[in-house]
Amino acid sequence: IIFCLASTGSINHNIQQKLRETVVNPLREVGYVGAEHMRVLRDLLSEGCSLAGLQDEEKEPEELLNVLFNEIFRTRPLLSFRDEKTNQTTSVNLCQIVLERDADSSAMPETQHLLTRYLVSQGMFFNCQPELLLLQVPRSGKDFKLYDTVIPSPTLELGGLCGGVWGSCFICNKTALMKCSQCYINQEFKVKYSAVPYCESCCTLVHSHPNRSTHSPQPATNPTRSIKMRLSAVLCIHTSHYVTYCRIPNPASLVPEEMAGPSNLATNRSHCWVFFDSMADREGGIGGYNIPLVEECPDLEDWLQNPVRLIHDKNRAPDFVKRLISDALLCFYVRDSQN
């Protein structure tokens, strides 16, 4: 995206070049960006886009992202959804999960569960598999949170959300070849799909019951294959302070020694998690400067992959895990390279 073509000398070209050379590259090479570069970027964005107040006001991340995608890079929207009833499509850059709290759901839900609930409640499905999925967890502004904690799922399974039918049987988890909308309408099974998916044998068994003998199961004409997205980064907010967790290639040689904490990298893994905080400390008062911090998060992947352990042993989890699940705002998912 940062190499999108723009006329040389135009404001969009200057913004793209500044973002690429003074923000993205330094982040990859040394782990942080100088404040003076962010000031220049803000000035350029203020000149080149319609969003007011970029030079002297706080902005929500989604506001900045929409400006970059829509006005600066002018890319196609990242996400396309299809309405199950009308078949109309809607294109957006960010999926904002808007839900009422489910009394039956976990007090510490995973993003997989929240995304599924949201799309099914809206009668929407992904029109095509996204390359990049920006997922905003349910909250309102900086203060109110629908859930005190949310677990970012390490992987998202989109197979059941790209066509209206889950790819596995509700009973035995085999490939779903049949579906029954009456089972869903009658709420005989506590599911939140538009139809209950079955393999052939389970479908026959379930509908042999007298209460379901009048149902008319239909073939799941396009059984959905497994489609996975990998968690790549999480943007967190506490009051007005943003921090970021990023999944990066291992070893993390890009973290400067003077900024990094003790190294606990697991050398047998291809990636590790790193925590970024641009204002971890401060030197001086008015006229002083912020001190950034970049440090590793050992075993973060293990905690996220074991939500049951996290629910029961939350108090024993490291502080960086507690901060992640308490303050998560925006989760970045990329297409799994194994797909």
Side-chain angles (χ1 to χ4, degrees):
I1 292 177
I2 59 175
F3 288 97
C4 289
L5 296 178
S7 301
T8 302
S10 66
I11 185 63
N12 281 7
H13 176 271
N14 294 339
I15 293 174
Q16 291 177 20
Q17 184 178 29
K18 178 62 66 174
L19 185 63
R20 181 173 61 249
E21 297 178 359
T22 67
V23 177
V24 175
N25 286 348
L27 275 175
R28 290 173 173 171
E29 293 174 2
V30 298
Y32 71 102
V33 178
E36 66 278 6
H37 296 306
M38 295 306 300
R39 165 54 61 186
V40 173
L41 180 63
R42 278 176 170 264
D43 292 341
L44 287 172
L45 285 171
S46 181
E47 179 184 350
C49 71
S50 60
L51 183 62
L54 277 167
Q55 293 173 305
D56 54 4
E57 297 177 8
E58 291 184 359
K59 296 298 175 184
E60 299 290 342
E62 59 269 24
E63 292 181 294
L64 178 59
L65 289 170
N66 278 322
V67 162
L68 289 175
F69 290 134
N70 296 337
E71 300 185 31
I72 306 304
F73 300 120
R74 298 181 182 177
T75 60
R76 291 186 306 171
L78 298 176
L79 306 175
S80 177
F81 296 102
R82 176 169 53 85
D83 188 288
E84 183 184 22
K85 294 182 179 180
T86 66
N87 213 33
Q88 293 182 337
T89 59
T90 303
S91 297
V92 294
N93 289 313
L94 181 147
C95 179
Q96 183 178 12
I97 298 177
V98 180
L99 286 171
E100 294 183 0
R101 181 154 183 165
D102 184 356
D104 296 325
S105 67
S106 167
M108 194 185 296
E110 300 174 62
T111 52
Q112 173 76 70
H113 171 71
L114 294 175
L115 176 63
T116 302
R117 274 190 58 211
Y118 170 64
L119 291 183
V120 172
S121 69
Q122 299 296 312
M124 297 191 308
F125 300 95
F126 286 99
N127 194 41
C128 56
Q129 180 188 357
E131 295 288 339
L132 173 63
L133 171 58
L134 277 58
L135 195 64
Q136 184 172 339
V137 301
R139 59 189 302 159
S140 177
K142 301 182 180 69
D143 303 317
F144 173 75
K145 295 189 291 185
L146 189 66
Y147 296 93
D148 291 334
T149 52
V150 172
I151 302 176
S153 304
T155 58
L156 284 181
E157 174 57 69
L158 301 188
L161 303 175
C162 291
V165 179
W166 281 98
S168 57
C169 173
F170 173 68
I171 304 296
C172 69
N173 212 36
K174 293 181 180 178
T175 301
L177 299 176
M178 304 294 292
K179 61 180 180 179
C180 180
S181 58
Q182 285 104 324
C183 286
Y184 169 77
I185 293 171
N186 296 342
Q187 290 291 297
E188 295 193 52
F189 299 99
K190 191 172 180 61
V191 296
K192 296 181 181 296
Y193 316 140
S194 57
V196 180
Y198 301 105
C199 67
E200 288 184 332
S201 58
C202 288
C203 186
T204 300
L205 178 63
V206 167
H207 290 94
S208 64
H209 192 283
N211 289 347
R212 293 180 286 275
S213 61
T214 58
H215 290 192
S216 302
Q218 301 294 321
T221 53
N222 294 304
T224 311
R225 63 183 177 88
S226 176
I227 299 175
K228 294 185 181 298
M229 303 288 288
R230 168 71 66 175
L231 183 65
S232 177
V234 182
L235 180 67
C236 299
I237 182 173
H238 182 71
T239 59
S240 296
H241 182 45
Y242 291 98
V243 298
T244 305
Y245 293 79
C246 289
R247 185 173 182 266
I248 65 171
N250 189 15
S253 57
L254 69 161
V255 181
E257 292 183 3
E258 64 272 16
M259 297 179 62
S263 179
N264 294 295
L265 287 175
T267 56
N268 61 334
R269 290 185 172 176
S270 61
H271 290 75
C272 64
W273 282 89
V274 175
F275 172 76
F276 292 81
D277 186 347
S278 63
M279 298 186 295
D281 203 351
R282 185 168 180 82
E283 182 71 25
I286 299 176
Y289 57 90
N290 294 319
I291 301 175
L293 172 70
V294 183
E295 63 181 0
E296 300 148 15
C297 301
D299 302 324
L300 176 58
E301 188 93 3
D302 293 335
W303 282 97
L304 295 181
Q305 289 178 345
N306 194 343
V308 175
R309 176 193 177 195
L310 191 52
I311 291 172
H312 292 290
D313 293 337
K314 175 188 173 184
N315 293 334
R316 299 181 182 179
D319 288 341
F320 61 79
V321 175
K322 295 177 184 176
R323 186 170 189 176
L324 173 65
I325 63 176
S326 297
D327 298 339
L329 170 67
L330 194 59
C331 298
F332 294 73
Y333 286 89
V334 296
R335 191 168 186 168
D336 195 321
S337 59
Q338 297 180 357
N339 275 355

